Coordinates of all heavy atoms in Angstrom, one line a residue:
S59 N -3.5 9.5 -14.9 CA -2.7 10.3 -14.0 C -1.2 10.3 -14.5 O -0.5 11.4 -14.5 CB -2.7 9.8 -12.6 OG -4.0 9.9 -12.1
F60 N -0.7 9.2 -15.0 CA 0.6 9.1 -15.6 C 0.7 10.0 -16.8 O 1.7 10.8 -16.9 CB 0.9 7.6 -15.9 CG 2.2 7.4 -16.7 CD1 3.4 7.8 -16.2 CD2 2.1 6.9 -18.0 CE1 4.6 7.6 -17.0 CE2 3.3 6.6 -18.7 CZ 4.5 7.0 -18.2
I61 N -0.2 10.0 -17.7 CA -0.2 10.9 -18.8 C -0.3 12.3 -18.4 O 0.4 13.2 -19.0 CB -1.4 10.5 -19.8 CG1 -1.2 9.1 -20.3 CG2 -1.5 11.5 -20.9 CD1 0.1 8.9 -21.1
Y62 N -1.1 12.6 -17.4 CA -1.2 14.0 -16.9 C 0.2 14.5 -16.4 O 0.6 15.6 -16.6 CB -2.3 14.1 -15.8 CG -2.3 15.5 -15.2 CD1 -2.8 16.6 -15.9 CD2 -1.8 15.7 -13.9 CE1 -2.8 17.9 -15.4 CE2 -1.9 17.0 -13.4 CZ -2.3 18.1 -14.1 OH -2.4 19.3 -13.6
Q63 N 0.9 13.6 -15.6 CA 2.2 13.9 -15.1 C 3.2 14.3 -16.2 O 3.9 15.2 -16.1 CB 2.7 12.8 -14.2 CG 2.0 12.6 -12.9 CD 2.3 11.3 -12.3 OE1 3.0 10.5 -12.8 NE2 1.7 11.1 -11.1
L64 N 3.1 13.5 -17.3 CA 4.0 13.7 -18.4 C 3.6 15.1 -19.1 O 4.5 15.8 -19.5 CB 3.9 12.6 -19.4 CG 4.4 11.2 -19.0 CD1 4.1 10.2 -20.1 CD2 5.8 11.3 -18.6
F65 N 2.3 15.4 -19.2 CA 1.9 16.6 -19.8 C 2.3 17.8 -19.0 O 2.8 18.8 -19.5 CB 0.3 16.6 -19.9 CG -0.2 17.9 -20.4 CD1 0.0 18.2 -21.8 CD2 -0.9 18.8 -19.6 CE1 -0.5 19.4 -22.3 CE2 -1.4 19.9 -20.2 CZ -1.2 20.3 -21.5
V66 N 2.3 17.7 -17.6 CA 2.7 18.8 -16.8 C 4.2 19.1 -17.0 O 4.7 20.2 -17.1 CB 2.4 18.5 -15.3 CG1 3.1 19.5 -14.4 CG2 0.9 18.6 -15.1
L67 N 5.0 18.0 -17.0 CA 6.4 18.1 -17.3 C 6.7 18.8 -18.6 O 7.6 19.6 -18.8 CB 7.1 16.8 -17.2 CG 7.2 16.2 -15.8 CD1 7.7 14.8 -15.8 CD2 8.0 17.0 -14.8
L68 N 5.9 18.4 -19.6 CA 6.0 19.0 -21.0 C 5.7 20.5 -20.9 O 6.5 21.3 -21.5 CB 5.1 18.2 -22.0 CG 5.2 18.7 -23.4 CD1 6.5 18.4 -24.0 CD2 4.1 18.1 -24.2
Q69 N 4.6 20.8 -20.3 CA 4.3 22.2 -20.2 C 5.4 23.1 -19.5 O 5.6 24.2 -19.8 CB 3.0 22.4 -19.4 CG 1.7 22.2 -20.2 CD 0.5 22.5 -19.4 OE1 0.4 22.2 -18.2 NE2 -0.5 23.1 -20.1
K70 N 6.0 22.5 -18.5 CA 7.0 23.2 -17.7 C 8.4 23.1 -18.5 O 9.4 23.6 -18.0 CB 7.2 22.6 -16.4 CG 6.0 22.8 -15.5 CD 6.2 22.2 -14.1 CE 5.1 22.5 -13.2 NZ 5.3 22.0 -11.8
R71 N 8.4 22.4 -19.6 CA 9.6 22.3 -20.5 C 10.7 21.6 -19.7 O 11.9 21.9 -19.9 CB 10.0 23.7 -21.0 CG 8.9 24.4 -21.8 CD 9.3 25.7 -22.4 NE 10.4 25.6 -23.3 CZ 10.3 25.3 -24.6 NH1 9.2 24.9 -25.1 NH2 11.4 25.2 -25.4
K72 N 10.3 20.6 -18.9 CA 11.3 19.8 -18.2 C 11.5 18.5 -18.9 O 11.0 17.5 -18.5 CB 10.8 19.6 -16.7 CG 10.8 20.9 -15.9 CD 10.5 20.6 -14.5 CE 10.6 21.8 -13.7 NZ 10.4 21.6 -12.2
F73 N 12.1 18.6 -20.1 CA 12.2 17.5 -21.0 C 13.0 16.3 -20.5 O 12.6 15.1 -20.7 CB 12.7 17.9 -22.3 CG 11.9 19.0 -23.0 CD1 12.5 20.3 -23.2 CD2 10.6 18.8 -23.3 CE1 11.7 21.3 -23.8 CE2 9.8 19.8 -23.9 CZ 10.4 21.0 -24.1
M74 N 14.0 16.6 -19.7 CA 14.8 15.5 -19.2 C 14.0 14.7 -18.1 O 14.0 13.5 -18.0 CB 16.1 16.0 -18.6 CG 17.1 16.4 -19.6 SD 17.6 15.1 -20.8 CE 18.6 14.1 -19.7
H75 N 13.3 15.5 -17.2 CA 12.4 14.9 -16.2 C 11.3 14.0 -16.9 O 11.0 12.9 -16.5 CB 11.8 15.9 -15.3 CG 12.7 16.5 -14.4 ND1 13.2 15.9 -13.3 CD2 13.3 17.8 -14.4 CE1 14.0 16.7 -12.6 NE2 14.1 17.9 -13.3
L76 N 10.7 14.6 -18.0 CA 9.7 13.9 -18.7 C 10.3 12.6 -19.3 O 9.6 11.5 -19.1 CB 9.2 14.8 -19.9 CG 8.0 14.2 -20.7 CD1 7.2 15.4 -21.1 CD2 8.5 13.5 -21.9
F77 N 11.4 12.6 -19.9 CA 12.0 11.4 -20.5 C 12.3 10.4 -19.4 O 11.9 9.2 -19.6 CB 13.3 11.9 -21.2 CG 14.1 10.7 -21.7 CD1 13.8 10.1 -22.9 CD2 15.2 10.2 -21.1 CE1 14.5 9.1 -23.4 CE2 16.0 9.2 -21.6 CZ 15.6 8.6 -22.8
F78 N 12.9 10.8 -18.3 CA 13.3 9.8 -17.3 C 12.0 9.3 -16.5 O 12.0 8.1 -16.2 CB 14.3 10.4 -16.3 CG 15.7 10.5 -16.8 CD1 16.3 11.7 -17.0 CD2 16.3 9.4 -17.2 CE1 17.5 11.8 -17.5 CE2 17.6 9.4 -17.7 CZ 18.2 10.6 -17.9
H79 N 11.0 10.1 -16.3 CA 9.8 9.7 -15.7 C 9.1 8.7 -16.5 O 8.6 7.6 -16.0 CB 8.9 10.9 -15.3 CG 7.7 10.5 -14.6 ND1 7.7 9.9 -13.4 CD2 6.4 10.6 -15.0 CE1 6.4 9.6 -13.0 NE2 5.6 10.0 -13.9
Y80 N 9.0 8.9 -17.8 CA 8.4 8.0 -18.7 C 9.1 6.6 -18.7 O 8.4 5.6 -18.5 CB 8.4 8.5 -20.2 CG 7.9 7.6 -21.2 CD1 6.6 7.4 -21.4 CD2 8.8 6.8 -22.0 CE1 6.1 6.5 -22.3 CE2 8.3 5.9 -22.9 CZ 7.0 5.8 -23.1 OH 6.5 4.9 -24.0
F81 N 10.4 6.6 -18.9 CA 11.1 5.3 -18.9 C 11.1 4.7 -17.5 O 11.1 3.4 -17.4 CB 12.5 5.5 -19.5 CG 12.5 5.5 -20.9 CD1 12.6 6.8 -21.6 CD2 12.2 4.4 -21.7 CE1 12.6 6.8 -23.0 CE2 12.1 4.5 -23.1 CZ 12.3 5.7 -23.7
E82 N 11.2 5.5 -16.5 CA 11.1 4.9 -15.1 C 9.9 4.1 -14.9 O 9.9 3.0 -14.4 CB 11.2 6.1 -14.1 CG 10.8 5.8 -12.7 CD 10.6 7.1 -12.0 OE1 11.6 7.7 -11.6 OE2 9.5 7.6 -11.8
V83 N 8.7 4.7 -15.2 CA 7.4 4.1 -15.0 C 7.3 2.8 -15.9 O 6.9 1.8 -15.4 CB 6.3 5.0 -15.2 CG1 4.9 4.3 -15.2 CG2 6.3 6.1 -14.1
I84 N 7.7 2.9 -17.2 CA 7.5 1.8 -18.1 C 8.4 0.7 -17.7 O 8.0 -0.5 -17.6 CB 7.9 2.3 -19.5 CG1 6.9 3.3 -20.0 CG2 7.9 1.1 -20.5 CD1 5.4 2.9 -20.1
I85 N 9.7 0.9 -17.4 CA 10.6 -0.1 -17.0 C 10.3 -0.7 -15.7 O 10.3 -2.0 -15.6 CB 12.1 0.4 -17.1 CG1 12.5 0.7 -18.5 CG2 13.0 -0.6 -16.5 CD1 13.8 1.5 -18.7
I86 N 10.0 0.1 -14.7 CA 9.7 -0.5 -13.4 C 8.4 -1.3 -13.4 O 8.3 -2.3 -12.8 CB 9.7 0.6 -12.3 CG1 11.2 1.1 -12.1 CG2 9.3 0.0 -10.9 CD1 11.3 2.3 -11.2
S87 N 7.4 -0.8 -14.2 CA 6.2 -1.5 -14.3 C 6.4 -2.9 -14.9 O 5.8 -3.9 -14.5 CB 5.2 -0.7 -15.1 OG 4.8 0.4 -14.4
F88 N 7.2 -2.9 -16.0 CA 7.5 -4.2 -16.6 C 8.3 -5.1 -15.7 O 8.0 -6.3 -15.6 CB 8.3 -4.0 -17.9 CG 8.6 -5.3 -18.6 CD1 7.6 -6.0 -19.3 CD2 9.8 -5.9 -18.5 CE1 7.8 -7.2 -19.9 CE2 10.0 -7.2 -19.1 CZ 9.0 -7.8 -19.8
I89 N 9.2 -4.6 -14.9 CA 9.9 -5.4 -13.9 C 8.9 -6.0 -12.9 O 9.0 -7.2 -12.5 CB 11.1 -4.6 -13.3 CG1 12.2 -4.4 -14.3 CG2 11.6 -5.3 -12.0 CD1 13.2 -3.4 -13.8
C90 N 8.0 -5.2 -12.4 CA 7.0 -5.6 -11.4 C 6.1 -6.7 -12.0 O 5.8 -7.7 -11.4 CB 6.2 -4.4 -10.9 SG 7.1 -3.3 -9.9
F91 N 5.7 -6.5 -13.3 CA 4.9 -7.5 -14.0 C 5.7 -8.8 -14.0 O 5.2 -9.9 -13.7 CB 4.6 -7.0 -15.4 CG 4.0 -8.1 -16.3 CD1 2.7 -8.5 -16.2 CD2 4.9 -8.8 -17.2 CE1 2.2 -9.5 -17.0 CE2 4.4 -9.8 -18.0 CZ 3.1 -10.2 -17.9
Y92 N 6.9 -8.8 -14.5 CA 7.7 -10.0 -14.6 C 8.0 -10.6 -13.3 O 7.9 -11.9 -13.2 CB 9.0 -9.7 -15.3 CG 9.8 -11.0 -15.6 CD1 9.4 -11.8 -16.6 CD2 10.9 -11.3 -14.8 CE1 10.1 -13.0 -16.9 CE2 11.6 -12.5 -15.0 CZ 11.2 -13.3 -16.1 OH 11.9 -14.5 -16.3
L93 N 8.2 -9.8 -12.2 CA 8.4 -10.4 -10.9 C 7.2 -11.1 -10.4 O 7.3 -12.3 -9.9 CB 8.7 -9.2 -9.9 CG 9.1 -9.6 -8.5 CD1 10.3 -10.5 -8.4 CD2 9.2 -8.4 -7.6
G94 N 6.0 -10.6 -10.6 CA 4.8 -11.3 -10.3 C 4.6 -12.5 -11.0 O 4.2 -13.6 -10.5
Y95 N 4.8 -12.5 -12.3 CA 4.7 -13.7 -13.2 C 5.7 -14.7 -12.8 O 5.4 -15.9 -12.6 CB 5.0 -13.3 -14.7 CG 4.8 -14.4 -15.6 CD1 3.5 -14.7 -16.1 CD2 5.8 -15.1 -16.1 CE1 3.3 -15.7 -17.0 CE2 5.7 -16.2 -17.0 CZ 4.4 -16.5 -17.4 OH 4.2 -17.5 -18.3
Y96 N 7.0 -14.3 -12.6 CA 8.1 -15.3 -12.2 C 7.8 -15.9 -10.8 O 8.0 -17.1 -10.7 CB 9.4 -14.5 -12.2 CG 10.6 -15.4 -11.9 CD1 11.0 -16.3 -12.8 CD2 11.2 -15.3 -10.6 CE1 12.1 -17.1 -12.5 CE2 12.3 -16.1 -10.3 CZ 12.7 -17.0 -11.3 OH 13.8 -17.8 -11.0
L97 N 7.4 -15.1 -9.9 CA 7.1 -15.7 -8.5 C 6.0 -16.7 -8.6 O 6.0 -17.7 -7.9 CB 6.7 -14.5 -7.6 CG 7.9 -13.6 -7.1 CD1 7.4 -12.5 -6.2 CD2 8.9 -14.5 -6.4
M98 N 5.0 -16.5 -9.4 CA 3.9 -17.4 -9.5 C 4.3 -18.7 -10.2 O 3.9 -19.8 -9.9 CB 2.7 -16.8 -10.2 CG 1.9 -15.9 -9.4 SD 1.4 -16.5 -7.8 CE 0.3 -17.8 -8.3
Q99 N 5.3 -18.6 -11.1 CA 5.8 -19.8 -11.8 C 6.6 -20.6 -10.8 O 6.6 -21.8 -10.8 CB 6.7 -19.4 -12.9 CG 6.0 -18.7 -14.1 CD 5.0 -19.6 -14.7 OE1 5.2 -20.8 -14.9 NE2 3.8 -19.1 -15.0
I100 N 7.3 -20.0 -9.9 CA 8.1 -20.7 -8.8 C 7.1 -21.4 -7.8 O 7.3 -22.5 -7.4 CB 9.0 -19.7 -8.1 CG1 10.1 -19.2 -9.0 CG2 9.6 -20.4 -6.8 CD1 11.0 -18.2 -8.4
I101 N 6.0 -20.7 -7.4 CA 5.1 -21.2 -6.5 C 4.3 -22.4 -7.0 O 4.0 -23.3 -6.3 CB 4.1 -20.1 -6.0 CG1 4.9 -19.1 -5.2 CG2 3.0 -20.6 -5.2 CD1 4.1 -17.8 -4.8
K102 N 4.0 -22.3 -8.3 CA 3.2 -23.4 -9.0 C 3.9 -24.7 -8.8 O 4.3 -25.6 -8.9 CB 3.0 -23.1 -10.4 CG 1.9 -22.2 -10.7 CD 1.7 -22.1 -12.2 CE 0.5 -21.3 -12.6 NZ 0.3 -21.3 -14.0

Side-chain angles (χ1 to χ4, degrees):
S59 296
F60 170 60
I61 296 300
Y62 175 72
Q63 291 166 356
L64 294 177
F65 178 71
V66 169
L67 291 172
L68 181 67
Q69 280 187 320
K70 293 181 178 181
R71 303 182 60 82
K72 294 185 176 184
F73 301 116
M74 290 300 286
H75 289 284
L76 185 145
F77 176 78
F78 285 117
H79 182 63
Y80 173 80
F81 281 105
E82 159 194 286
V83 171
I84 297 298
I85 290 170
I86 295 174
S87 292
F88 182 76
I89 290 170
C90 290
F91 166 81
Y92 185 76
L93 182 64
Y95 184 84
Y96 182 72
L97 288 175
M98 286 309 295
Q99 294 299 318
I100 293 173
I101 293 172
K102 280 185 174 180

